[in-house]
């Protein structure tokens, strides 16, 4: 049985005091869940949020990480810095990083390898653009992202990886992929993992859907066989909605 995940991606939102208030509002309401509860927060609040959630079931992670341990990379944060504050989870390859900050399949791969070297768990984000779906090449695009992302990633490390399938046209737009379309792509990703690794890894790896997940559609998405959870932007910013998502 794969443990479901509800992961909030706060993007460039919230101050530390807003983050603390959010935790105060949710922690009693998410503590008895069987769902893995994660929040990917801005760097400025990573340490305080990590400390503030100590002793709860809420996992705090980073939204990005550089693939070098240190060096002349102004504005970047390294895996050693994350480990320094006990943060052991990061997103890699979010479509906004690919689109606005020149993240490529190659840098995504380097980041995954470096994160794993430092025992940091990764949520790898993949997904196609609208025109790619309209041209019926969405599976080719996602397959290429997956193959490159896992280059040189050994089978024994795959239990540290979660994949999030996020069609770019569904992010922040209010348009959700139909649960059937989302499930179809996620089952395709699972079969690609089987090709790259083996049956066991493809059965065990958790694959999330992301893109306008909200309390009104979460149950339908979660009822699909291959969807193991959600990576949630907008609806993760409001405590009441986040609680509903976790308790779908
Ligand atoms: P959204 O964002 O839920 O606001 O569509 C999802 C994401 O970008 O991870």
């Amino acid at each position: 049985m794969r443990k479901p995940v509800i992961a909030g991606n706060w993007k460039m939102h919230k101050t530390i005091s807003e983050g603390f208030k959010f935790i105060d509002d949710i922690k009693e309401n998410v503590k008895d869940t069987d769902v893995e509860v994660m929040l990917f927060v801005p760097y400025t609040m990573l340490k305080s949020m990590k400390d503030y959630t100590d002793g709860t079931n809420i996992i705090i992670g980073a939204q990005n990480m550089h693939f070098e341990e240190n060096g002349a990379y102004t504005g970047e944060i390294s895996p050693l810095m994350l480990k320094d504050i006990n943060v052991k989870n990061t997103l890699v390859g979010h479509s906004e990083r690919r689109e606005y900050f020149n993240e490529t399949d190659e840098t995504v791969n380097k980041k995954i390898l470096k994160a794993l070297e430092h025992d940091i768990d990764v949520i790898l984000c993949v997904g196609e653009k609208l025109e790619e779906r309209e041209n019926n090449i969405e599976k080719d695009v996602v397959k290429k992202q997956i193959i490159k992302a896992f280059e040189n990633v050994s089978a024994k490390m795959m239990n540290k990886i979660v994949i999030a399938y996020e069609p770019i046209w569904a992010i922040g737009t209010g348009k959700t992929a139909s649960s059937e379309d989302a499930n179809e792509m996620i089952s395709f990703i699972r079969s690609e993992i089987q090709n790259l690794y083996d049956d066991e890894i493809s059965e065990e790896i958790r694959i999330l859907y992301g893109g306008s997940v909200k309390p009104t559609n979460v149950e339908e998405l979660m009822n699909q066989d291959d969807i193991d959870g959600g990576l949630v932007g907008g609806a993760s910013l409001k405590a009441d909605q986040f609680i509903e998502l976790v308790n779908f």
Side-chain angles (χ1 to χ4, degrees):
M1 261 304 272
R2 301 185 291 263
K3 183 171 183 171
V5 180
I6 293 290
N9 171 13
W10 280 2
K11 309 190 178 184
M12 198 170 72
H13 292 284
K14 293 199 191 288
T15 59
I16 295 173
S17 58
E18 288 166 348
F20 287 177
K21 165 95 173 54
F22 186 95
I23 299 300
D24 292 343
D25 289 344
I26 70 162
K27 71 175 175 213
E28 285 303 310
N29 298 293
V30 301
K31 74 175 193 311
D32 297 320
T33 179
D34 294 330
V35 168
E36 197 158 279
V37 181
M38 305 171 110
L39 285 174
F40 292 88
V41 305
Y43 287 142
T44 48
M45 64 170 82
L46 259 183
K47 176 164 167 37
S48 11
M49 288 286 280
K50 179 75 194 158
D51 294 347
Y52 203 67
T53 52
D54 195 26
T56 74
N57 60 330
I58 303 163
I59 296 170
I60 299 293
Q63 297 173 8
N64 180 36
M65 182 203 88
H66 198 268
F67 51 78
E68 295 289 350
E69 280 144 15
N70 40 53
Y73 299 102
T74 302
E76 290 292 317
I77 298 290
S78 89
L80 295 183
M81 295 167 183
L82 295 182
K83 275 191 3 186
D84 193 34
I85 55 168
N86 278 321
V87 167
K88 301 215 174 82
N89 297 77
T90 187
L91 300 180
V92 171
H94 190 279
S95 62
E96 287 150 16
R97 302 245 20 120
R98 293 179 192 252
E99 192 173 346
Y100 308 132
F101 302 99
N102 299 324
E103 192 90 84
T104 63
D105 288 339
E106 195 186 350
T107 57
V108 164
N109 174 245
K110 285 183 174 176
K111 288 180 181 195
I112 292 178
L113 289 170
K114 191 52 83 173
L116 296 175
E117 187 185 319
H118 288 286
D119 210 26
I120 293 172
D121 288 12
V122 169
I123 296 189
L124 162 70
C125 306
V126 296
E128 82 283 0
K129 299 188 179 119
L130 182 59
E131 61 265 31
E132 292 164 339
R133 182 160 278 261
E134 285 171 349
N135 290 326
N136 298 318
I137 55 166
E138 69 274 13
K139 285 191 176 142
D140 302 330
V141 170
V142 170
K143 178 174 176 173
K144 184 169 158 277
Q145 290 172 339
I146 293 281
I147 289 176
K148 185 65 197 170
F150 293 128
E151 210 171 87
N152 299 319
V153 175
S154 68
K156 68 176 194 320
M157 290 304 217
M158 288 301 285
N159 62 354
K160 298 187 65 61
I161 306 272
V162 169
I163 300 172
Y165 166 59
E166 301 200 298
I168 296 173
W169 47 272
I171 295 180
T173 58
K175 287 187 210 156
T176 327
S178 73
S179 49
E180 291 80 17
D181 283 352
N183 194 63
E184 186 185 330
M185 179 63 94
I186 287 177
S187 117
F188 171 76
I189 294 171
R190 206 175 288 292
S191 65
E192 284 306 312
I193 296 297
Q194 186 181 24
N195 292 339
L196 289 175
Y197 295 95
D198 58 30
D199 288 359
E200 196 182 327
I201 290 174
S202 79
E203 273 304 309
E204 281 176 4
I205 192 161
R206 292 174 298 170
I207 311 181
L208 320 181
Y209 167 76
S212 298
V213 176
K214 34 189 186 275
T216 48
N217 59 23
V218 66
E219 192 178 346
E220 190 185 335
L221 288 162
M222 295 301 284
N223 280 339
Q224 299 288 323
D225 287 350
D226 276 295
I227 303 182
D228 301 317
L231 179 58
V232 190
S236 75
L237 294 169
K238 301 209 175 78
D240 53 344
Q241 294 193 14
F242 192 71
I243 292 165
E244 280 190 63
L245 291 173
V246 170
N247 296 301
F248 70 90

